[in-house]
C-alpha cells in the first residue's frame, strides 16, 4: 500500500478528472498485474484484497442511527472517507451497489432500529434519499412510526397521509383468505368451462369444441373480472395497513385483472383494452399508443389523457407498498405525455400536458408537474422542455419513421 502522503496527492490529482465515486480510496503498488496461466488475461482473483474500510467521519453523526448507516455505507463501498452529507449518487450508488447496501442494512446483526423497520426498507426509499443523513432520518422516522396505530403519518410529496383504521388480519388468516378466494374463483370458472364444453359436445360440433370453448370463456372472464372488481374489490385513496381489508381487496383485484390485461395486450386490439380499462374505472383518452408490455397497478385510479405515448416496460403505479403500509393515490397523466421505456411513475403523481418522462427515469415521489416538463434520472429531476419538440416526435411516430 502507498504511504498516506502519496495516496492523498494521487487522490487529489485524480479528483480533478474523475467523479468522486470513481476516485480510489486505497492505492497499491504492484510490479505487474496478475494474469491467468492459460489465456494470459487479467486475473481479479489474484489481486490483493482491500482492507476493511475504517470509518473516519463518525464525528458527523448526531445519533446512533446515523452512525450505523454511515458505518454500513463505508463497509459496502469500502471507503472510510464517506460523510453523512455526501450524495448517494456521488458515493458510488448504482444499480449493483444500492441493492447490496439495502441488503446490508436489513441483515445487520447490530442495529439501533428494529427488524420490522429494516424489513420495510425499499429501494424506492434508497433512491429517493439524497444523502446518507436523510436516509438515516427516514429510517428513524419509520422506527418511531412502526407499530402503526391510527394516525401514523408518512410524507409523500408536499402532503401528509394518515394511516386509516380498518380490520387487520394475521398473516395466517390473510393467507387463508387468499387461498379461499382462489379456490372460489377456480371452482366457478371450472364449472363454467365444463358447462360450455359439454354444451358444445351435445351440439355435436366435435371438430371445433376446444376452439369454441376458448372463444366462449374469454368474454366470460372479461365480464366476471369487471363484476368482481367494480362490485366487491373497489379501493379508495388513502394509506392502509398491511394485511388489512384493503390489502386483500387489492391483491384479489390484481389477480383478476392481470390475466385479462395480458390477453388483451397479446390480441393487440386497442379498443378492447380501452373498453376494459374504462369498465374498471380508469380513464384512457383517445389515440393512446401502447408500445409493448406496460405495468399498471390500481387500474381504477389511473387517468391518461389524449395522444399519449407509453413505451415498453413503463410502470404506472396508483398503489404501492410504502413504509409498512399500502399507499393508494390517483395518478393523472395529461394530454400528449410520453413515458419512456422502463420509466416509473409513483402513486399520486400528476403530469401536465406535453410532459415527458425519459427512458429509465423514475419519479419515486408524488409530484405535480407543470406542463412541458421533462423528467430525467433516478430519482427523476425536472427540466424545462419545449412542447413543439414532443409534437414533432409524435408526428414522426404516427408516420412510422421512429420506433
Amino acid at each position: 500500500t502507498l504511504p498516506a502522503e502519496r495516496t492523498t496527492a494521487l487522490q487529489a490529482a485524480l479528483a480533478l478528472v474523475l467523479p468522486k465515486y470513481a476516485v480510489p480510496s486505497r492505492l497499491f503498488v504492484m510490479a505487474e498485474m496478475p494474469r491467468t496461466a492459460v489465456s494470459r488475461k487479467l486475473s481479479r482473483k489474484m489481486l490483493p484484497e482491500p482492507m476493511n474500510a475504517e470509518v473516519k467521519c463518525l464525528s458527523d453523526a448526531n445519533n446512533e442511527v446515523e452512525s450505523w448507516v454511515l458505518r454500513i455505507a463505508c463497509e459496502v463501498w469500502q471507503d472510510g472517507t464517506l460523510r453523512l452529507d455526501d450524495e448517494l449518487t456521488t458515493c458510488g450508488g448504482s444499480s449493483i451497489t444500492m441493492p447490496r447496501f439495502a441488503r446490508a442494512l436489513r441483515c445487520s446483526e447490530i442495529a439501533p432500529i428494529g427488524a420490522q423497520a429494516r424489513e420495510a426498507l425499499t429501494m424506492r426509499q434508497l433512491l429517493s434519499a439524497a444523502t446518507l443523513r436523510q436516509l438515516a432520518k427516514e429510517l428513524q422516522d419509520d422506527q418511531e412510526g412502526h407499530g402503526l396505530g391510527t394516525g401514523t403519518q408518512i410524507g409523500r410529496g408536499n402532503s401528509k397521509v394518515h394511516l386509516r383504521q380498518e380490520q387487520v388480519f394475521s398473516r395466517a388468516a390473510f393467507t387463508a383468505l387468499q387461498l379461499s378466494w382462489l379456490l372460489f374463483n377456480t371452482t366457478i370458472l371450472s364449472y363454467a368451462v365444463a358447462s360450455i364444453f359439454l354444451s358444445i359436445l351435445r351440439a355435436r360440433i366435435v371438430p371445433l369444441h376446444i376452439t369454441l370453448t376458448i372463444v366462449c370463456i374469454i368474454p366470460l372472464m372479461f365480464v366476471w373480472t369487471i363484476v368482481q372488481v367494480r362490485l366487491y374489490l373497489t379501493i379508495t385513496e388513502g394509506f392502509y395497513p398491511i394485511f388489512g381489508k384493503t390489502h386483500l381487496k387489492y391483491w384479489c383485484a390484481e389477480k383478476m385483472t392481470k390475466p385479462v390485461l395480458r390477453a388483451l395486450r397479446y390480441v393487440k386490439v386497442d379498443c378492447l383494452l380501452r373498453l376494459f380499462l374504462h369498465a374498471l374505472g380508469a380513464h384512457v383518452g383517445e389515440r393512446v399508443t401502447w408500445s409493448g408490455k406496460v405495468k399498471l397497478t390500481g387500474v381504477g385510479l389511473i387517468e391518461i389523457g389524449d395522444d399519449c405515448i407509453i413505451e415498453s416496460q413503463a410502470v404506472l403505479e396508483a398503489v404501492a407498498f410504502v413504509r409498512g403500509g399500502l399507499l393508494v393515490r390517483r395518478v393523472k397523466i395529461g394530454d400528449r405525455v410520453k413515458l419512456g421505456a422502463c420509466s416509473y411513475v409513483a402513486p399520486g403523481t400528476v403530469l401536465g400536458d406535453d410532459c415527458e418522462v425519459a427512458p429509465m427515469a423514475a419519479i419515486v415521489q408524488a409530484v405535480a408537474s407543470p406542463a412541458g416538463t421533462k423528467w430525467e434520472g433516478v430519482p427523476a429531476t425536472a427540466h424545462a422542455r419545449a412542447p413543439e419538440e414532443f409534437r414533432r416526435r409524435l408526428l414522426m411516430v404516427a408516420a412510422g419513421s421512429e420506433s
Side-chain angles (χ1 to χ4, degrees):
T1 306
L2 283 179
E5 297 78 9
R6 293 187 62 187
T7 299
T8 304
L10 283 172
Q11 287 175 337
L14 290 172
L16 298 176
V17 293
L18 294 176
K20 181 178 178 180
Y21 65 85
V23 177
S25 58
R26 281 167 303 283
L27 298 170
F28 298 89
V29 178
M30 303 183 64
E32 61 177 354
M33 298 296 287
R35 297 181 180 274
T36 58
V38 179
S39 60
R40 305 301 298 168
K41 294 181 180 179
L42 293 179
S43 175
R44 292 189 178 184
K45 293 182 179 179
M46 298 177 64
L47 290 173
E49 289 290 336
M51 297 177 293
N52 292 332
E54 180 185 353
V55 186
K56 301 177 181 178
C57 302
L58 283 178
S59 58
D60 295 343
N62 297 323
N63 51 55
E64 292 183 359
V65 177
E66 291 184 353
S67 302
W68 171 67
V69 169
L70 180 59
R71 187 178 294 106
I72 296 294
C74 291
E75 291 176 0
V76 170
W77 281 291
Q78 290 292 314
D79 185 358
T81 63
L82 295 181
R83 293 181 177 273
L84 284 166
D85 294 321
D86 290 341
E87 295 184 5
L88 286 173
T89 53
T90 60
C91 291
S94 65
S95 58
I96 297 176
T97 58
M98 293 298 272
R100 191 183 303 161
F101 182 40
R103 185 166 58 252
L105 291 173
R106 295 192 194 103
C107 301
S108 177
E109 296 181 357
I110 303 176
I113 63 175
Q116 188 176 7
R118 285 185 281 127
E119 287 297 327
L121 176 66
T122 62
M123 285 300 298
R124 184 182 290 107
Q125 282 180 265
L126 286 181
L127 295 173
S128 60
T131 63
L132 293 171
R133 193 183 300 275
Q134 182 179 346
L135 175 62
K137 184 178 184 303
E138 291 187 4
L139 289 173
Q140 192 170 13
D141 292 343
D142 287 351
Q143 169 71 5
E144 295 171 356
H146 260 78
L148 295 177
T150 306
T152 301
Q153 296 182 341
I154 64 166
R156 203 69 182 166
N158 297 322
S159 61
K160 292 284 186 180
V161 183
H162 293 264
L163 184 73
R164 294 196 178 185
Q165 184 178 15
E166 66 173 12
Q167 182 180 3
V168 178
F169 307 100
S170 65
R171 186 184 293 269
F174 190 83
T175 303
L177 289 171
Q178 289 176 314
L179 294 176
S180 301
W181 182 86
L182 285 174
L183 180 62
F184 170 75
N185 278 275
T186 303
T187 304
I188 294 294
L189 291 177
S190 300
Y191 178 78
V193 171
S195 301
I196 293 172
F197 185 74
L198 292 175
S199 300
I200 294 173
L201 282 181
R202 291 193 190 100
R204 297 183 180 180
I205 315 177
V206 178
L208 299 175
H209 61 279
I210 296 178
T211 304
L212 288 175
T213 302
I214 295 174
V215 170
C216 293
I217 199 63
I218 290 177
L220 178 63
M221 289 186 63
F222 191 93
V223 175
W224 181 244
T225 300
I226 294 172
V227 170
Q228 283 214 68
V229 173
R230 292 309 298 267
L231 293 183
Y232 306 110
L233 303 177
T234 302
I235 57 178
T236 57
E237 293 186 75
F239 184 51
Y240 301 93
I242 299 295
F243 301 134
K245 186 177 179 181
T246 301
H247 184 188
L248 183 63
K249 284 184 177 182
Y250 164 70
W251 184 88
C252 295
E254 288 296 301
K255 291 297 180 184
M256 290 291 294
T257 56
K258 278 185 179 180
V260 180
L261 287 174
R262 190 179 296 115
L264 292 176
R265 282 196 295 262
Y266 178 78
V267 175
K268 295 182 179 179
V269 181
D270 289 341
C271 61
L272 287 179
L273 178 60
R274 187 171 171 229
L275 176 64
F276 181 69
L277 293 175
H278 273 285
L280 295 177
H283 172 77
V284 180
E286 302 286 345
R287 301 174 298 279
V288 175
T289 303
W290 307 85
S291 302
K293 183 179 179 182
V294 177
K295 181 181 178 182
L296 306 174
T297 63
V299 174
L301 296 169
I302 293 177
E303 299 180 11
I304 302 175
D306 300 333
D307 300 307
C308 292
I309 298 174
I310 304 178
E311 295 186 347
S312 177
Q313 303 295 328
V315 178
L316 279 171
E317 280 195 344
V319 181
F321 293 93
V322 179
R323 300 189 185 181
L326 188 71
L327 181 66
V328 182
R329 296 281 296 276
R330 185 173 296 275
V331 174
K332 297 181 180 179
I333 308 297
D335 298 335
R336 301 174 301 278
V337 172
K338 179 179 178 181
L339 301 182
C342 302
S343 58
Y344 172 80
V345 176
T349 299
V350 178
L351 297 178
D353 299 340
D354 299 301
C355 286
E356 178 180 355
V357 181
M360 303 296 293
I363 302 178
V364 296
Q365 287 191 344
V367 295
S369 174
T373 305
K374 183 174 182 179
W375 293 85
E376 296 178 316
V378 181
T381 54
H383 304 275
R385 176 175 172 274
E388 292 75 12
E389 176 192 352
F390 180 75
R391 294 193 181 97
R392 178 181 60 81
R393 296 184 65 182
L394 182 65
L395 292 175
M396 293 175 65
V397 172
S401 58
E402 182 175 318
S403 59

